[in-house]
Amino acid sequence: MNQPESDEGLFDHCPWLYAEQASQAQRAAQEQRRKRLLAGAEARVGAGAVRLGEGCFVAETAAVYPDRLDLGDRSYIAAHAYVTGDIRTGADCTVNPFTVVRGTVTLGDGVRVGAHSSLLGFNHGSAPDLPVHRQPVTSRGITIGDDVWIGSHVVVLDGVTIGDHCVIGAGAVVTKDLPAWTMAAGNPARRIRDRRDPRAAGPGGAAAGSAAPVGTAPCPTAPRPADTPALVEALSAFAGAARAQAVEVLDRCWRPDTRRFADRPGAEPTVRAHCDAVEIADLLLGEAPPQLPAAEHVARLRDLQDPATGLIPEYGAPPPVPGPAGVPDDGAAAYHLLCVGYALDLLGSSFAHPVHAVRRTTADRLVPHLAGLPWDDRAWHAGAWVDSWATAAHWNLRLGAEAAAPGALEALFGLLHTRVDRRTGMWGSPTPRDGHLQPVNGYYRLTRGSFAQFGLPVPYAERVIDTVLGHARDPRHFAPGRENACNVLDVIHPLWLCARQTNHRFEEARSWAAAQLTAALRRWHPGEGFAFGPAPDGTGPGRDPGLQGTEMWLAIIWLLADVVGVADALGYRPRGIHRPEPALPG
């Protein structure tokens, strides 16, 4: 419906209504506005200085005095905007009321700039020998990619590049480049999360606040080191080589005689090896391992589950016996609750049965079992048990069954909150022999299955960062040649997880991640994958390349790169056991 002729300010302030609601007289007035803009620019700068695409709108009250303006189709400049300099936009861009766009500014397609924002693609010098008004003006320019939403009252400074698909929260001051898909907020703007994270929300008010767990602060965008281009190039080259060699890596661990996967040549086939192969193929190939049709992978993994308990034995072993609180003490059977469940999930399937051994666990059986776990001297084992139990509860929820008996899941989180050490953020204590190795490694397993998997904030995140960074300097575990996949993963995941809640010591975490990332890329064995690495206690497959080491290091490299701020260069994102998003029930 056309608007009354007297409503002259409507489209200036709400230009998105112009295309459908303007009257013929209002369209004629806009055409005259266009002609005046073109004539004024020609008189000031020269012919061709302004180009307005099809369906554009420029408010009468906007101050538009550019050296060059190329406004893409269906774009608009709203009331009281101030536009000068060399401005180029793609199609469907919006400069909302009271916005300032000055200097050299380039927008991609579909960029929305909120009211009262400033894109300042120029700067003044600040040398002490001249007054400010006599300082030279410089311009490195601002570049904003496609499909970017900039909230109200945002300031973007000269020299900044904002990648495609970013969302910038209201009131942010953007001083550094933001990679594609970043959601950022704050002064200076810090990374909140990847926009593809299903928890992500918009940049305004309460919506932006709800994008992070309640009571938490955003994770910052990692400061980009001076060698970022070289690191990005190295990551891209690594990922390309890994993809090209992925089938070869899988083939060397495939046993045609048994039609099963082994971790490495000469090893016996295991359930975990099959699951590692599924994760590797998903990361590098985007499909099931080519050694079997996808449907056969699904059938083989589903058939492993014992229908009576829901537990998964090793090949050739009898059905596992449930422990007092459901999850057995058998390490392989407990880990199968993670790896088989996530392998099936990656293949678009799920367990055939609920994990009945956990579904029947009551709070009065769970709490004493948790209290009796070896927290003091074997915190990793305690954390691993919690990981397996919580993951089984998660799969039960995903299947539409009860996670456990009423109150058991709540009892788990209640006990974890009451037992955590406020000084360290850990569950468990250091030992004279290994320092914080057991508590830190146990922290990863415990929080992976509980807080991270269920999308809950961890307690005392800043103390966790202090403890983990201190542990990462322990030469017993992190001297050159001593790092293994388990120890590096168990540091970077807590740092990554806690950085979702606090900026505490983030630069130190980023520096550690950058150094580890460079070292990790050198560990790739062409055509063979990654070795797990040396383990003093004999755990893990050791120095020979295999499926477990490859699956773990691929995920570790993504986590390290994400903390550094260059994960996009890999072109993959973990979706299984090491997925960054919570695995909440659908």
Side-chain angles (χ1 to χ4, degrees):
M1 183 177 71
N2 289 344
Q3 295 296 318
E5 301 294 328
S6 59
D7 198 1
E8 296 178 355
L10 174 65
F11 299 126
D12 274 15
H13 290 84
C14 307
W16 54 89
L17 301 176
Y18 173 81
E20 295 184 358
Q21 298 186 12
S23 68
Q24 289 303 115
Q26 289 163 331
R27 294 180 193 278
Q30 177 62 198
E31 183 61 28
Q32 291 301 312
R33 168 67 163 150
R34 292 166 64 102
K35 290 179 179 178
R36 291 196 302 274
L37 274 176
L38 295 173
E42 183 173 349
R44 286 184 299 102
V45 184
V50 171
R51 188 195 76 85
L52 303 179
E54 293 295 323
C56 286
F57 178 91
V58 180
E60 188 68 35
T61 55
V64 182
Y65 304 110
D67 298 325
R68 178 182 175 86
L69 173 63
D70 191 335
L71 196 62
D73 295 347
R74 300 175 303 281
S75 297
Y76 64 72
I77 299 174
H80 305 291
Y82 178 26
V83 178
T84 68
D86 187 342
I87 314 300
R88 307 176 192 221
T89 85
D92 302 298
C93 290
T94 65
V95 177
N96 277 291
F98 300 97
T99 290
V100 174
V101 183
R102 301 189 64 196
T104 302
V105 179
T106 301
L107 310 183
D109 293 331
V111 177
R112 326 300 275 184
V113 183
H116 298 277
S117 290
S118 296
L119 310 183
L120 305 177
F122 73 101
N123 207 342
H124 287 280
S126 57
D129 56 338
L130 287 175
V132 171
H133 73 278
R134 292 184 180 176
Q135 293 286 345
V137 174
T138 60
S139 179
R140 292 184 293 159
I142 292 170
T143 301
I144 298 176
D146 298 335
D147 180 37
V148 173
W149 179 13
I150 296 175
S152 297
H153 294 277
V154 169
V155 178
V156 182
L157 299 184
D158 186 38
V160 165
T161 294
I162 297 176
D164 296 344
H165 315 296
C166 287
V167 176
I168 313 301
V173 178
V174 185
T175 62
K176 297 181 182 296
D177 292 356
L178 297 175
W181 296 104
T182 296
M183 296 190 71
N187 180 8
R190 304 290 190 186
R191 179 177 182 268
I192 297 173
R193 61 171 50 86
D194 190 292
R195 181 179 161 193
R196 292 164 291 190
D197 187 324
R199 292 179 297 165
S210 65
V214 174
T216 66
C219 165
T221 297
R224 301 176 76 89
D227 61 348
T228 289
L231 186 54
V232 167
E233 184 177 351
L235 286 170
S236 180
F238 158 74
R243 289 188 188 93
Q245 298 165 30
V247 174
E248 186 180 358
V249 170
L250 295 171
D251 270 340
R252 72 185 287 270
C253 298
W254 174 247
R255 295 278 295 271
D257 54 334
T258 61
R259 292 178 61 78
R260 290 174 174 172
F261 284 99
D263 180 71
R264 56 201 180 279
E268 290 298 314
T270 62
V271 173
R272 175 169 184 163
H274 193 159
C275 299
D276 287 336
V278 171
E279 296 243 13
I280 293 166
D282 183 79
L283 281 171
L284 298 181
L285 303 175
E287 60 187 20
Q291 286 74 17
L292 293 172
E296 189 168 347
H297 285 292
V298 170
R300 288 189 175 202
L301 292 172
R302 281 170 63 93
D303 288 348
L304 292 170
Q305 192 179 26
D306 174 31
T309 64
L311 301 173
I312 304 99
E314 187 55 87
Y315 292 138
V321 177
V327 172
D329 292 330
D330 180 338
Y335 193 77
H336 292 166
L337 292 169
L338 280 65
C339 67
V340 176
Y342 274 104
L344 286 168
D345 192 52
L346 291 173
L347 294 165
S349 186
S350 62
F351 281 135
H353 313 281
V355 185
H356 298 297
V358 168
R359 188 174 63 85
R360 300 176 185 130
T361 302
T362 60
D364 60 355
R365 289 166 51 199
L366 177 64
V367 170
H369 187 80
L370 288 169
L373 290 172
W375 300 103
D376 290 338
D377 57 349
R378 292 192 301 145
W380 182 89
H381 296 272
W385 191 93
V386 171
D387 188 3
S388 297
W389 191 95
T391 300
H394 158 71
W395 295 128
N396 287 345
L397 290 171
R398 288 280 292 271
L399 286 171
E402 288 184 337
L409 193 59
E410 293 81 358
L412 169 70
F413 284 103
L415 187 137
L416 293 178
H417 274 286
T418 58
R419 285 192 64 102
V420 65
D421 186 335
R422 299 182 181 185
R423 299 166 300 173
T424 64
M426 300 283 111
W427 291 269
S429 305
T431 64
R433 193 186 99 175
D434 292 326
H436 274 96
L437 180 68
Q438 285 281 334
V440 169
N441 289 11
Y443 182 92
Y444 160 68
R445 286 295 306 271
L446 183 151
T447 56
R448 192 221 69 84
S450 55
F451 293 93
Q453 189 166 232
F454 283 86
L456 300 174
V458 297
Y460 309 114
E462 294 188 353
R463 301 292 75 76
V464 172
I465 292 169
D466 292 341
T467 302
V468 171
L469 285 175
H471 169 64
R473 294 193 296 268
D474 190 332
R476 290 173 290 184
H477 315 298
F478 294 97
R482 294 193 177 186
E483 300 98 335
N484 62 44
C486 184
N487 290 350
V488 177
L489 173 63
D490 296 352
V491 168
I492 191 55
H493 189 274
L495 292 177
W496 180 92
L497 182 65
C498 291
R500 313 277 280 192
Q501 298 179 208
T502 176
N503 300 343
H504 181 63
R505 297 179 70 179
F506 186 76
E507 173 61 19
E508 294 175 66
R510 189 209 63 80
S511 297
W512 186 88
Q516 288 292 329
L517 183 57
T518 301
L521 295 180
R522 295 195 292 264
R523 295 189 173 100
W524 178 260
H525 296 253
E528 298 179 327
F530 285 107
F532 177 89
D537 59 0
T539 59
R543 299 178 184 272
D544 296 326
L547 297 181
Q548 181 180 339
T550 302
E551 184 273 328
M552 291 182 72
W553 279 110
L554 287 173
I556 291 164
I557 285 170
W558 187 91
L559 288 164
L560 291 166
D562 199 50
V563 169
V564 175
V566 292
D568 285 349
L570 290 166
Y572 68 75
R573 183 181 181 87
R575 300 194 309 126
I577 288 176
H578 306 296
R579 60 182 292 163
E581 296 84 12
L584 298 175

